[in-house]
């Protein structure tokens, strides 16, 4: 008789370093942060990423729905103890196919598995009946990787949306280019043949547009749109940009804004500006200085301090200004905003006889409010207080 040969039965599934890493990662799951419904929706969406196929997604959804919803709460343990035979019956596949798909999900890091020596799946409970461990299909790895997988799904969907938009624009640009080539009659036949060969070269380079990347489709679309502009004999884009680059305020100064120190800009009272009530950033450095040493605006005489307070000036509406100055409509000025009125100031000064130099001179804002005479020889000289005193002295000398 020959020697009998015994075959050792392998215990559990083959363990690789990657699977061991997934098991260690599953132990750090924070139960209660993700619900069962969120995992089910994620399992259905993973097919668009190419990580799993439709049948594996169906099996993963069946595993998630098998676990009670309470198992994804804080004290729960989301582990599936169904056999491969029962899972094969539920998804309509063979037992061997289910076993291979479980291995694929394990390799993808979507589940972890702990098999027993006799290939049975069972829970291990404590004295209170709670599941502390077990041999089965563990879904805690999905809780750990939920944020990563959800972001992957969002990114793939965004890329697909951008690719579809680029594909539609490319097909429209190609159709417009061919139509413009057939209707262009002002160009010579040699130019039309050259542009037509370029259009076909772009089309041949792209090939099947549905399989091209979004970046390549965008570059091809830009070339086709440029060829259409050549066929339509439109001006170059650089010339258009230089013509339309119109600034509303060409003489704007890029100065630094100076923050006011008082929180009451329209109130000129002394109480709000006193250093005793205002915030002083350098008050420790002032020591025992008097309250007049903090601000320069308070170094005034008592006569100025005791003067009656001036009320803040109210803002005037633009319509009131237009009604008060009917000459604006006479000269054809009808501003609809303060910005229009400010832009019309140079022309208004020109009508009033104010020169450009006088308007641009510092402090000329008050003088520009009243029109001046074009010819100073025809205007009477205003008499001031000094002229009046000189005239009275001359009269006293004449009387004596």
């Amino acid at each position: 008789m020959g020697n009998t040969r015994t075959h050792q039965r392998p215990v559990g599934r083959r363990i690789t370093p990657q699977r061991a890493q997934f098991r260690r990662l599953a132990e750090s799951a924070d139960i209660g942060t993700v619900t069962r419904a969120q995992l089910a929706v994620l399992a259905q969406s993973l097919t668009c990423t190419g990580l799993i196929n439709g049948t594996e997604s169906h099996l993963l959804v069946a595993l998630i729905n098998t676990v009670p919803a309470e198992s994804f709460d804080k004290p729960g343990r989301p582990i599936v103890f169904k056999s491969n035979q029962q899972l094969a019956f539920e998804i309509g596949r063979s037992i061997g196919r289910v076993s291979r798909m479980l291995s694929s999900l394990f390799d993808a890091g979507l589940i972890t598995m702990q098999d027993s020596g006799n290939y049975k799946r069972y829970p291990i409970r404590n004295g209170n009946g709670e599941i502390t461990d077990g041999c089965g299909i563990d879904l805690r790895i999905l809780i750990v990787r939920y944020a990563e997988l959800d972001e992957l799904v969002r990114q793939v969907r965004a890329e697909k949306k951008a690719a579809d938009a680029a594909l539609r624009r490319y097909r429209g640009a190609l159709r417009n280019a061919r139509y413009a080539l057939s209707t262009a009659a002002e160009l010579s036949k040699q130019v039309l043949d050259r542009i037509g060969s370029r259009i076909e070269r772009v089309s041949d380079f792209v090939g099947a547009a549905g399989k091209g990347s979004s970046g390549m489709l965008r570059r091809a679309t830009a070339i086709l749109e440029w060829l259409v502009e050549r066929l339509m004999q439109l001006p170059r884009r650089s010339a258009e940009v230089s013509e339309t680059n119109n600034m509303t305020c060409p003489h704007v100064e890029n100065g630094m804004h100076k923050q006011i120190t008082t929180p009451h800009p329209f109130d000129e009272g002394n109480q709000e500006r006193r250093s005793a009530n205002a915030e002083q950033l350098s008050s420790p450095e002032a020591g025992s200085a008097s309250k007049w040493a903090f601000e320069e605006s308070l170094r005034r005489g008592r006569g100025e301090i005791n003067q009656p307070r001036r009320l803040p000036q109210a803002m005037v509406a633009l319509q009131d200004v237009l009604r008060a100055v009917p000459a604006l409509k006479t000269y054809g000025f009808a501003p609809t905003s303060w910005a229009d009125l400010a832009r019309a100031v140079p022309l208004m000064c020109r009508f009033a006889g104010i020169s450009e130099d006088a308007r641009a001179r510092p402090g000329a804002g008050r003088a520009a409010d009243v029109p001046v005479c074009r010819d100073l020889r025809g205007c009477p000289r205003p008499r001031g207080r000094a002229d009046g005193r000189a005239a009275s002295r001359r009269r006293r000398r004449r009387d004596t």
Side-chain angles (χ1 to χ4, degrees):
M1 294 179 63
N3 297 331
T4 59
R5 187 175 181 181
T6 60
H7 298 277
Q8 289 185 352
R9 187 179 183 182
V11 179
R13 296 181 182 271
R14 180 172 56 89
I15 298 300
T16 61
Q18 187 177 9
R19 291 182 177 181
Q21 181 67 24
F22 287 148
R23 281 186 178 179
R24 182 185 301 178
L25 188 61
E27 294 176 357
S28 63
D30 188 8
I31 307 297
T33 57
V34 183
T35 62
R36 186 180 68 175
Q38 291 176 328
L39 294 179
V41 173
L42 176 64
Q44 294 175 357
S45 304
L46 285 176
T47 54
C48 66
T49 63
L51 195 61
I52 56 177
N53 55 28
T55 309
E56 294 170 350
S57 174
H58 188 194
L59 176 59
L60 185 58
V61 172
L63 292 173
I64 294 173
N65 292 331
T66 300
V67 182
E70 296 79 10
S71 300
F72 291 94
D73 294 337
K74 199 63 177 176
R77 196 70 178 268
I79 301 178
V80 180
F81 304 107
K82 285 184 178 179
S83 62
N84 290 352
Q85 183 178 2
Q86 181 65 26
L87 292 174
F89 173 75
E90 291 181 0
I91 67 173
R93 295 293 185 269
S94 63
I95 300 176
R97 180 70 182 278
V98 169
S99 179
R100 291 190 295 271
M101 285 191 298
L102 288 176
S103 298
S104 300
L105 293 176
F106 200 172
D107 293 332
L110 302 178
I111 62 171
T112 57
M113 301 183 65
Q114 180 68 36
D115 294 334
S116 62
N118 56 357
Y119 294 96
K120 300 296 182 179
R121 294 170 183 163
Y122 55 87
I124 300 175
R125 303 179 183 272
N126 55 10
N128 298 328
E130 298 177 354
I131 299 176
T132 58
D133 200 356
C135 296
I137 305 171
D138 196 347
L139 302 178
R140 290 180 297 174
I141 187 67
L142 282 177
I143 300 176
V144 178
R145 302 186 60 192
Y146 176 78
E148 172 192 352
L149 297 174
D150 185 63
E151 182 63 26
L152 179 62
V153 171
R154 293 176 184 272
Q155 182 179 358
V156 171
R157 287 179 175 175
E159 292 177 356
K160 177 62 177 174
K161 187 176 181 180
D164 292 342
L167 177 61
R168 290 193 297 267
R169 187 172 179 182
Y170 165 75
R171 288 175 175 172
L174 182 60
R175 181 174 60 251
N176 293 337
R178 288 174 176 171
Y179 179 77
L181 183 65
S182 62
T183 57
E186 299 180 359
L187 300 178
S188 61
K189 186 176 182 304
Q190 182 179 3
V191 175
L192 293 178
D193 292 341
R194 190 185 306 119
I195 297 178
S197 63
R198 290 183 180 179
I199 294 174
E200 297 303 325
R201 193 185 309 167
V202 171
S203 177
D204 295 340
F205 179 78
V206 173
K211 298 180 180 179
S213 62
S214 58
M216 180 182 66
L217 293 177
R218 284 194 294 267
R219 291 193 296 269
T221 302
I223 295 174
L224 292 175
E225 291 177 351
W226 179 74
L227 293 175
V228 170
E229 293 177 357
R230 290 286 305 275
L231 289 171
M232 297 297 178
Q233 296 183 358
L234 298 178
R236 292 188 178 183
R237 293 181 180 270
S238 58
E240 289 183 350
V241 170
S242 61
E243 291 178 1
T244 58
N245 192 7
N246 183 19
M247 295 184 62
T248 57
C249 301
H251 302 291
V252 173
E253 295 183 1
N254 190 13
M256 182 182 297
H257 175 69
K258 297 181 180 180
Q259 182 67 29
I260 59 177
T261 58
T262 171
H264 307 280
F266 297 108
D267 198 346
E268 298 184 2
N270 300 318
Q271 189 65 23
E272 289 79 9
R273 291 204 305 264
R274 289 188 183 275
S275 300
N277 298 332
E279 182 181 359
Q280 299 294 335
L281 300 180
S282 59
S283 57
E285 300 177 359
S288 59
S290 63
K291 62 181 181 180
W292 301 98
F294 283 102
E295 297 180 6
E296 295 290 337
S297 60
L298 297 178
R299 295 180 180 177
R300 301 178 301 177
R302 292 188 176 271
E304 298 182 27
I305 295 177
N306 296 327
Q307 289 180 357
R309 295 173 56 183
R310 291 182 298 174
L311 296 177
Q313 296 181 359
M315 300 297 293
V316 182
L318 180 61
Q319 301 299 329
D320 298 337
V321 174
L322 297 180
R323 284 194 297 267
V325 188
L328 294 177
K329 294 184 179 180
T330 305
Y331 287 109
F333 296 106
T336 59
S337 63
W338 289 104
D340 297 342
L341 183 60
R343 283 192 289 267
V345 165
L347 190 57
M348 292 163 53
C349 292
R350 206 172 293 124
F351 287 161
I354 301 174
S355 63
E356 195 73 21
D357 180 63
R359 185 177 61 85
R361 191 181 306 161
R366 302 192 188 97
D369 295 337
V370 292
V372 299
C373 297
R374 293 180 180 272
D375 191 0
L376 295 179
R377 292 173 297 178
C379 297
R381 181 182 177 183
R383 299 185 61 180
R385 185 178 300 176
D387 296 337
R389 287 196 294 267
S392 61
R393 285 196 297 270
R394 286 196 296 271
R395 283 195 299 269
R396 284 197 297 270
R397 292 196 200 96
R398 195 182 317 116
D399 295 337
T400 55

